[in-house]
Amino acid sequence: MNNYTEYIQTHKTRFIDELLELLRIPSVSTDPAFKEHVFKAAEFIKGQLDKIGADKAQVCQTDGYPIVYAEKIIDPELPTVLVYGHYDVQPADPLELWDSPPFEPVIKNDKIYARGACDDKGQMYMHLKAFETMIQTDNLPCNVKFMIEGEEEAGSESLATFVKNNKERLAADVILISDTSMLGNETPSITMGLRGLSYMEVEVTGPNRDLHSGMYGGAVANPINVLCQMIASLTDENHHITIPGFYDDVEDAPEAEREGMRKAPFDLELYKKKLDIAEVQGEKGYSTLERTSIRPTLDVNGIWGGYTGEGAKTVIASKAYAKISMRLVPNQDWYKISELFQKHFEAIAPPSVKVKVTRHHGGQPVVTPIDSVAFKAASAAFKDTFGKEPIPLRGGGSIPIVSMFKSELGLDSVLLGFGLDSDAIHSPNEHYGIFNYMKGIETIPLFYNHYAKLMREELVS
Ligand code: BES
Ligand code: MN
Ligand code: MN
């Protein structure tokens, strides 16, 4: 490979400045109030793709937010890498917990602080800068397609349709995604699986109006009390989920994979210290790493009802609500799990209340092969830049579209993530290390290089 690291060093400041510019666009996809900004972020990405020499850059309109597409086909005989990422971000609330405004990025202690700094603007933009570097230093060894969406944080509905309708345009050999994390900057790991997701909302109704809790308390079911009891019963003393059939399709992780996790340098004491908790908690029989990757979970994401304002109000509310999500592992199916949840939740409701269960979005779990050419290329690239063999580990989060890439396009994904779990994605003070941003830009061209080379060898043999 030509000397490309020099190019990266020379242009480092600009690479960072451009990311800061993107981070100033509040492209929150789940809140309609930010609509124009989400479209603006798409235009920004398209403009940058044009600038760095990608062809056919286009903002593809959908029923929702647009998908930015571009490509560079240098030789149809060569393999093609399809890069996926997202330019939308999570809402920034609660705003008062940020040390600096979420859409006014600042650099502190060599980290960029802003909503989307890591998830996924920072990680996605590394691919544009890596591409620019490969073009400018004459190092691009294969074809590239970019597909950057704006609805990942809202369930990727438009992208699902786009993928189904554009199979030819999206033809490729592998999908490349940087939207996950690694164990640590000194302990690189590559994500080899993602959990699925089933996201539900429940509404519990007691009396037809709010009641005086002295006049009626003790005689009429309080929907908030009932909801809490129902939620509490969804897990048992071993932190097993009690929904009948919930574990039926769970495929146990191979013993070799569990062995690898036991050996991974994970510091539980530091983990607890960083979160300021005295003890961890989770399913009996599994370690913390296992609980957050190879096992399914159920969590309440939000719960509300009754009086939450200043002071005290004595009231039995008419309604109580909760948003409940379940993380899924192979071979659980999110449609089936959502249905099991709904049936069970309705079944355990006492006759004193009515319940309504609605479904939000979801996605299927995935495990990617670690013996593929692409995974080997990713490992080799990491080894080059980190000086260490990366550990293959499943991630706990979800990227719903990844399973669709497999089912609709027949393509495996390589999850080349450079974030850290401590980057506070989806939380106040989200940040991304400059080290990680630059490391990504440096590692990606090596991935392309190893991948093209290994594919060539594969053809010969
Ligand atoms: N990039 C994350 C997923 C992720 C983060 C995977 C870290 C592994 C490690 C993605 O943007 C995300 O937040 N996904 C959502 C699901 C989506 C449907 C809202 C999630 O996991 O909650
Ligand atoms: Mn993401
Ligand atoms: Mn996210």
Side-chain angles (χ1 to χ4, degrees):
M1 264 178 105
N2 301 330
N3 187 355
Y4 72 100
T5 47
E6 199 184 304
Y7 183 88
I8 295 175
Q9 279 318 310
T10 310
H11 298 273
K12 178 174 172 180
T13 312
R14 177 173 54 83
F15 285 3
I16 294 169
D17 287 345
E18 287 174 13
L19 173 57
L20 299 186
E21 201 180 328
L22 174 60
L23 289 169
R24 283 187 197 104
I25 308 173
S27 49
V28 179
S29 58
T30 51
D31 184 346
F34 293 86
K35 193 170 171 180
E36 57 171 311
H37 302 290
V38 186
F39 281 95
K40 235 174 76 193
E43 291 296 340
F44 179 89
I45 300 295
K46 188 236 172 224
Q48 291 298 330
L49 282 162
D50 274 331
K51 249 191 214 164
I52 59 181
D55 299 325
K56 302 187 187 169
Q58 191 190 343
V59 175
C60 310
Q61 299 302 333
T62 69
D63 288 344
Y65 288 124
I67 290 146
V68 186
Y69 178 87
E71 62 181 41
K72 187 88 195 171
I73 308 297
I74 55 171
D75 178 353
E77 296 296 311
L78 287 170
T80 302
V81 174
L82 174 55
V83 175
Y84 163 79
H86 61 96
Y87 62 80
D88 65 319
V89 299
Q90 284 271 323
D93 337 38
L95 288 176
E96 66 277 11
L97 296 183
W98 285 77
D99 294 333
S100 54
F103 298 107
E104 293 170 30
V106 291
I107 299 176
K108 261 191 315 194
N109 303 322
D110 295 319
K111 297 181 186 83
I112 301 169
Y113 284 81
R115 168 57 83 235
C118 172
D119 182 13
D120 180 38
K121 285 175 175 169
Q123 295 212 63
M124 174 268 292
Y125 206 69
M126 298 181 316
H127 285 271
L128 274 72
K129 295 302 98 180
F131 176 82
E132 173 191 324
T133 301
M134 288 188 285
I135 295 279
Q136 292 300 324
T137 58
D138 204 12
N139 269 315
L140 184 67
C142 57
N143 305 312
V144 189
K145 294 178 178 176
F146 289 95
M147 177 170 63
I148 315 296
E149 72 152 318
E151 284 178 18
E152 196 277 341
E153 301 292 6
S156 300
E157 231 173 90
S158 303
L159 183 65
T161 311
F162 184 82
V163 167
K164 283 185 185 147
N165 294 339
N166 288 275
K167 289 188 181 175
E168 227 158 277
R169 169 141 65 144
L170 300 175
D173 294 276
V174 71
I175 311 255
L176 184 61
I177 305 173
S178 295
D179 193 20
T180 53
S181 49
M182 11 174 240
L183 258 187
N185 284 347
E186 278 82 48
T187 47
S189 59
I190 298 185
T191 304
M192 50 150 296
L194 293 163
R195 289 197 282 192
L197 182 72
S198 160
Y199 203 111
M200 315 292 292
E201 184 161 333
V202 299
E203 177 191 288
V204 177
T205 308
N208 59 4
R209 60 182 169 87
D210 287 7
L211 304 175
H212 187 289
S213 66
M215 291 163 75
Y216 291 93
V220 175
N222 179 327
I224 303 177
N225 292 31
V226 170
L227 175 59
C228 290
Q229 280 157 356
M230 289 172 76
I231 288 169
S233 80
L234 295 175
T235 46
D236 68 15
E237 67 281 9
N238 293 325
H239 303 286
H240 266 101
I241 293 152
T242 56
I243 299 168
F246 184 83
Y247 291 97
D248 280 3
D249 300 323
V250 170
E251 191 181 277
D252 288 330
E255 190 42 45
E257 191 181 338
R258 294 190 70 185
E259 181 58 30
M261 293 175 99
R262 278 192 285 273
K263 285 201 198 125
F266 174 74
D267 187 339
L268 186 60
E269 288 314 309
L270 184 65
Y271 183 85
K272 290 194 282 192
K273 198 175 152 208
K274 280 198 167 167
L275 297 176
D276 205 3
I277 52 171
E279 203 38 89
V280 291
Q281 173 198 290
E283 191 180 358
K284 201 177 167 193
Y286 295 93
S287 68
T288 294
L289 268 187
E290 290 174 333
R291 287 169 180 166
T292 57
S293 61
I294 61 167
R295 299 299 297 168
T297 57
L298 182 148
D299 277 293
V300 178
N301 299 262
I303 181 164
W304 69 103
Y307 184 70
T308 56
E310 280 295 318
K313 181 187 181 194
T314 48
V315 65
I316 294 175
S318 167
K319 286 177 188 289
Y321 307 82
K323 291 182 193 282
I324 300 173
S325 70
M326 291 160 282
R327 296 281 170 178
L328 311 176
V329 300
N331 287 318
Q332 288 176 297
D333 174 83
W334 83 270
Y335 297 102
K336 183 174 164 188
I337 292 293
S338 303
E339 180 136 2
L340 289 177
F341 176 94
Q342 174 158 7
K343 279 208 182 113
H344 181 64
F345 207 79
E346 286 165 358
I348 60 174
S352 50
V353 298
K354 294 190 253 319
V355 302
K356 198 168 107 194
V357 180
T358 49
R359 242 173 251 193
H360 286 270
H361 49 256
Q364 307 294 17
V366 277
V367 168
T368 64
I370 59 170
D371 56 359
S372 67
V373 166
F375 196 88
K376 284 179 194 157
S379 287
F382 261 65
K383 180 130 196 264
D384 289 344
T385 47
F386 286 89
K388 271 187 206 167
E389 202 74 50
I391 307 165
L393 285 177
R394 294 195 213 179
S398 312
I399 308 175
I401 203 69
V402 173
S403 80
M404 264 201 65
F405 288 149
K406 183 72 183 171
S407 60
E408 295 295 327
L409 303 175
L411 296 179
D412 285 316
S413 297
V414 174
L415 300 158
L416 208 63
F418 293 88
L420 297 176
D421 285 351
S422 54
D423 285 344
I425 67 171
H426 295 205
S427 302
N429 302 314
E430 174 176 356
H431 55 274
Y432 192 39
I434 304 251
F435 169 88
N436 302 70
Y437 183 56
M438 299 311 295
K439 207 58 154 180
I441 298 172
E442 232 179 90
T443 308
I444 291 163
L446 288 162
F447 166 81
Y448 280 84
N449 210 264
H450 285 292
Y451 181 64
K453 190 164 144 249
L454 290 171
M455 288 291 274
R456 241 178 356 252
E457 288 166 12
E458 184 111 313
L459 268 182
V460 176
S461 65

